[in-house]
């Protein structure tokens, strides 16, 4: 038996033959410079061809893996026109006799080395993106077509590392899993693998030996384990995992079209979180019954200036209309803290998570808020739109939001523009302050949705962005669960519904607790809908208790 362990970055167990990725031989251009002007023209042609290919890839990614994957290729295309990158290539061409290939190589190396040296692992991982862009440009200059795999059966694809564009260009039907020697969980290949639902393990180092080409292995994308020629007990273990996985997949499939109710008939709304209208396709594919959180800031983060009212209207309308009468909760922009857009010119803050973010920006910049509210109300004529305000701490903030809504409705009335006057208004419960004044807040709005990511951060005084807090960042902490209970009691006292849209909503081990607390809606990523529905349908609501709200010793928690 041979055993390797790397970092599991995309869940799932598979068995299959290893196939090492074949790259087009790193072609070296040895033609002499044709002179500065001619090389400049060649460079411009290669830039244009590369941008065209990347835009086509972005479209393919949007269809196969969603908006986030498309953004990756759009960013690659933008990088080709980056001023500093272009200046670096132009400067190299001035040093004749340099070829366009040489200029691209030099600039690619300089920029990727600069990123690789940064402290932030996310930025380090971006070095691979720059190498990917530079390789594409060089290939275009030399007329080289990239390699891939040439197999008749599905394989586990192995490589030193895979560039995002290589990952996307593969025929997914032929790929059972990914194994790489390098890479990290924040590399875009890992992100793409997760979006496409293909198991992946990275960081296997030299243990992943090209001599293994063709050997059959078992891999577990959760634990990061790979086994070749397993012994009896290991084989039985992997076969049992495969059988369990098959059962879960069949169960999830069988849940399509079923109602979201407990065994004893208590309904719970199972909705989805999305970042763009394109994600609605995944909601529909997984039979989501509504959208509980549309993070509208995505529209702002991908733009280089404030998105216009019309651009926003089109995006909201597209989502609302596609959901065909099912509820679509759109959150007003939640910019600030970790989500920065340069054109907002936000002040540099010591503690941005405690600073000017989300609703605070909207209330300080009424024109920005008005534009978004107009787009939202106009979209409300095309579906069941609900509007949700993030990061609320005080009753006056909610009243100010409602006042802004009334002003926008009055404008639309005057202009004769159609909208739904009864559009539901809700708030996110994500600060301890909002929990403590939940009774007053509940009298002002139509629903609550708990953002457990931020509620955990602010309740436990733990930065959600930090990688070092480990067990201290615990969304299952009794303090967070008791906050949920307080908010739920306040909501029900006022006769409104309450949901959860933070990551905790998908934690199946807490489903009974959520039912005992009285949560009415859970909003999760589209791929989590069917497993959640299956768990819900085998749970008896009457038997659910509030045990977890008690404090437990660290070791007692699962
Ligand atoms: C949350 O805080 O739980 C939430 C859903 O909002 P975001 O993660 O976008 O801050
Ligand atoms: Mg939040």
């Amino acid at each position: 038996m041979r055993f390797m362990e790397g970092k599991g970055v995309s869940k799932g167990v598979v068995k299959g033959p290893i196939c090492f990725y074949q790259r087009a031989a790193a072609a070296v251009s040895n033609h002499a410079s044709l002179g500065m002007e001619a090389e400049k023209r060649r460079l411009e042609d290669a830039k244009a061809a590369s941008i065209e290919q990347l835009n086509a890839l972005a479209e393919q990614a949007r269809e196969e893996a969603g908006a986030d994957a498309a953004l990756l290729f759009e960013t690659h295309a933008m990088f080709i026109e980056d001023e500093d990158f272009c200046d670096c290539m132009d400067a190299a061409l001035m040093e004749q006799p340099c070829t366009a290939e040489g200029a691209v190589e030099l600039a690619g190396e300089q920029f990727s080395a600069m990123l690789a040296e940064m402290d932030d692992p996310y930025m380090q991982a971006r070095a691979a993106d720059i190498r990917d862009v530079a390789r594409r440009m060089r290939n275009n200059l030399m007329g080289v077509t990239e390699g891939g795999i040439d197999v008749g059966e599905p394989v586990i694809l192995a490589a030193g590392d895979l560039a995002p564009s290589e990952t996307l260009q593969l025929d997914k039907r032929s790929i059972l899993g990914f194994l790489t020697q390098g890479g990290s969980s924040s590399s875009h290949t890992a992100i793409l693998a997760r979006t496409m639902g293909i198991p992946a393990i990275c960081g296997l180092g030299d243990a992943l030996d090209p001599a293994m080409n063709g050997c059959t292995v078992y891999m577990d994308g959760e634990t990061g384990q790979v086994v070749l020629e397993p012994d009896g007990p290991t084989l039985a273990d992997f076969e049992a995992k495969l059988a369990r996985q098959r059962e879960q997949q069949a169960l999830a499939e069988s849940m399509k079209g079923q109602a979201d109710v407990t065994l004893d008939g208590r309904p719970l709304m199972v909705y989805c979180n999305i970042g763009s209208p394109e994600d609605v396709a995944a909601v529909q594919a997984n039979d989501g019954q509504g959208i509980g959180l549309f993070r509208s800031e995505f529209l702002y983060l991908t733009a280089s200036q404030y998105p216009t009212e019309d651009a926003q209207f089109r995006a909201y309308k597209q989502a609302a209309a596609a959901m065909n009468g099912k509820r679509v909760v759109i959150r007003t922009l939640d910019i600030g803290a970790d989500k920065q857009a340069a054109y907002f010119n936000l002040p540099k803050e010591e503690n941005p998570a405690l600073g000017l973010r989300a609703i605070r920006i909207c209330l300080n910049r009424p024109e920005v808020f008005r534009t978004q509210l107009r787009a939202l109300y106009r979209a409300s004529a095309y579906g069941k739109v609900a509007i949700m305000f993030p990061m609320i701490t005080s009753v006056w903030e909610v009243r100010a939001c409602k006042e802004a809504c009334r002003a926008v409705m009055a404008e639309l009335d005057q202009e004769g523009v159609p909208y739904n006057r009864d559009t539901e208004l809700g708030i996110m419960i994500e600060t301890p302050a909002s929990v403590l004044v939940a009774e007053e807040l509940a009298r002002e709005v139509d629903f609550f949705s708990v953002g457990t990511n931020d509620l955990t951060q602010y309740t436990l005084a733990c930065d959600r962005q930090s990688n070092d807090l480990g067990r201290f960042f615990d969304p299952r902490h009794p303090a967070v669960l008791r906050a949920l209970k307080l908010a739920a009691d306040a909501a029900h006292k006022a006769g409104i519904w309450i949901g959860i849209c933070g990551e905790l909503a998908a934690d199946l081990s807490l489903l009974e607790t959520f039912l005992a607390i009285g949560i009415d809606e859970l909003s999760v990523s589209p791929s989590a809908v069917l497993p959640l529905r299956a768990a819900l349908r085998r749970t008896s609501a009457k038997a659910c208790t509030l045990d977890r709200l008690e404090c437990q010793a660290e070791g007692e928690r699962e």
Side-chain angles (χ1 to χ4, degrees):
M1 175 165 98
R2 276 173 79 178
F3 180 82
M4 294 182 269
E5 188 156 356
K7 192 163 175 41
V9 293
S10 179
K11 278 203 286 196
V13 180
V14 280
K15 172 193 176 188
I18 288 192
C19 171
F20 266 81
Y21 186 72
Q22 302 148 17
R23 274 200 179 98
V28 180
S29 164
N30 45 18
H31 82 83
S33 167
L34 304 174
M36 193 169 72
E37 286 311 318
E39 292 296 335
K40 267 193 171 167
R41 271 196 303 278
R42 291 184 66 234
L43 183 60
E44 290 310 315
D45 288 348
K47 280 189 199 171
S50 305
I51 290 172
E52 197 176 315
Q53 289 162 358
L54 285 162
N55 287 338
L57 273 172
E59 277 319 303
Q60 186 191 340
R62 197 182 310 285
E63 277 167 29
E64 293 182 11
D68 288 353
L71 180 62
L72 163 64
F73 295 104
E74 284 158 7
T75 314
H76 278 200
M78 270 166 9
F79 183 73
I80 293 177
E81 294 180 297
D82 178 86
E83 214 177 302
D84 292 336
F85 187 59
C86 290
D87 284 352
C88 186
M89 291 187 289
D90 289 344
L93 280 184
M94 305 279 262
E95 300 277 321
Q96 281 299 305
C98 179
T99 58
E101 288 87 333
V104 172
E105 185 157 351
L106 182 102
E109 270 170 20
Q110 264 186 24
F111 277 74
S112 58
M114 188 177 77
L115 287 165
E117 275 166 20
M118 290 189 170
D119 289 336
D120 179 352
Y122 180 82
M123 293 312 285
Q124 285 169 4
R126 301 288 71 78
D129 291 310
I130 305 294
R131 284 194 293 272
D132 194 12
V133 169
R135 193 180 55 247
R136 170 176 306 282
M137 290 177 69
R138 272 200 317 275
N139 284 344
N140 280 325
L141 281 161
M142 293 183 272
V144 171
T145 310
E146 276 295 329
I149 51 167
D150 181 16
V151 284
E153 58 176 342
V155 294
I156 294 179
L157 191 72
D161 208 348
L162 279 169
S165 62
E166 290 173 331
T167 314
L168 198 80
Q169 281 170 68
L170 295 163
D171 178 358
K172 257 55 84 203
R173 286 162 306 181
S174 320
I175 310 293
L176 298 167
F178 291 111
L179 300 176
T180 60
Q181 292 171 320
S184 72
S185 65
S186 48
S187 69
H188 272 119
T189 299
I191 296 169
L192 281 174
R194 283 196 288 274
T195 319
M196 298 185 298
I198 298 179
I201 299 174
C202 65
L204 286 158
D206 292 341
L208 181 62
D209 185 345
M212 291 173 179
N213 200 38
C215 298
T216 294
V217 296
Y218 286 85
M219 67 174 279
D220 182 339
E222 184 155 27
T223 62
Q225 293 169 338
V226 185
V227 181
L228 187 82
E229 294 161 8
D231 60 19
T234 315
L235 179 70
D237 199 31
F238 266 99
E239 285 297 338
K241 279 187 189 177
L242 277 171
R244 257 199 317 277
Q245 186 174 277
R246 275 194 294 272
E247 267 170 33
Q248 278 163 1
Q249 280 161 352
L251 181 65
E253 267 310 298
S254 72
M255 285 297 119
K256 286 189 182 162
Q258 304 276 356
D260 292 319
V261 287
T262 60
L263 198 58
D264 47 350
R266 188 187 139 188
L268 183 107
M269 299 178 277
V270 178
Y271 286 0
C272 294
N273 293 348
I274 64 166
S276 74
E278 284 82 20
D279 295 340
V280 172
V283 177
Q284 286 164 337
N286 288 282
D287 198 26
Q289 293 304 300
I291 289 167
L293 170 63
F294 178 165
R295 288 180 161 99
S296 73
E297 58 273 12
F298 173 88
L299 295 170
Y300 293 78
L301 292 171
T302 52
S304 53
Q305 54 191 330
Y306 291 106
T308 61
E309 178 184 319
D310 278 346
Q312 292 190 58
F313 164 64
R314 281 194 297 274
Y316 306 146
K317 174 184 164 186
Q318 189 184 333
M323 287 302 290
N324 208 6
K326 291 179 177 162
R327 190 184 271 129
V328 178
V329 178
I330 306 179
R331 170 172 81 183
T332 58
L333 69 95
D334 188 12
I335 292 278
D338 55 315
K339 298 177 201 149
Q340 293 287 340
Y343 60 89
F344 269 78
N345 283 321
L346 294 174
K348 207 161 167 35
E349 295 169 305
E350 278 291 305
N351 294 301
L354 305 180
L356 273 181
R357 58 169 292 201
I359 203 63
R360 299 174 183 177
I361 295 180
C362 290
L363 294 177
N364 276 1
R365 301 187 185 189
E367 259 319 295
V368 174
F369 199 24
R370 173 174 164 264
T371 304
Q372 182 167 36
L373 290 175
R374 282 184 58 97
L376 286 165
Y377 271 103
R378 282 172 59 195
S380 72
Y382 299 86
K384 191 173 178 181
V385 169
I387 302 175
M388 176 159 79
F389 305 110
M391 269 293 287
I392 295 293
T393 57
S394 309
V395 173
W396 71 261
E397 293 165 343
V398 181
R399 292 194 178 139
C401 291
K402 287 165 65 182
E403 183 51 45
C405 290
R406 278 192 292 272
V408 159
M409 285 195 280
E411 282 176 18
L412 296 177
D413 280 337
Q414 254 193 355
E415 295 162 22
V417 175
Y419 67 92
N420 174 13
R421 180 170 298 282
D422 299 321
T423 298
E424 284 179 300
L425 297 180
I427 58 166
M428 291 195 69
I429 297 289
E430 41 188 1
T431 63
S434 64
V435 174
L436 295 173
V437 296
E439 288 203 4
E440 289 90 328
L441 291 172
R443 289 198 285 270
E444 299 287 334
V445 291
D446 300 305
F447 65 93
F448 282 170
S449 183
V450 186
T452 46
N453 310 334
D454 275 316
L455 186 61
T456 305
Q457 152 162 280
Y458 296 124
T459 304
L460 303 186
C462 275
D463 181 352
R464 64 188 270 190
Q465 292 297 109
S466 167
N467 282 328
D468 307 321
L469 285 164
R471 61 190 167 160
F472 298 106
F473 186 92
D474 178 10
R476 301 154 55 101
H477 192 291
V480 177
L481 300 179
R482 284 184 201 175
L484 272 175
K485 172 89 170 84
L486 285 172
D489 289 348
H492 293 150
K493 192 169 163 194
I496 64 170
W497 62 269
I498 178 167
I500 303 177
C501 61
E503 295 301 306
L504 198 66
D507 185 337
L508 296 184
S509 70
L510 283 177
L511 179 57
E512 292 183 12
T513 308
F514 295 151
L515 287 166
I517 287 174
I519 297 297
D520 302 295
E521 177 245 20
L522 292 172
S523 190
V524 297
S525 67
S527 62
V529 164
L530 295 172
L532 173 53
R533 180 174 297 160
L536 184 68
R537 293 178 64 86
R538 57 173 182 261
T539 303
S540 164
K542 280 197 207 87
C544 295
T545 60
L546 290 173
D547 294 349
R548 293 188 194 254
L549 307 194
E550 301 302 323
C551 292
Q552 289 158 311
E554 197 203 336
E556 286 172 49
R557 308 234 190 98
E558 303 137 36

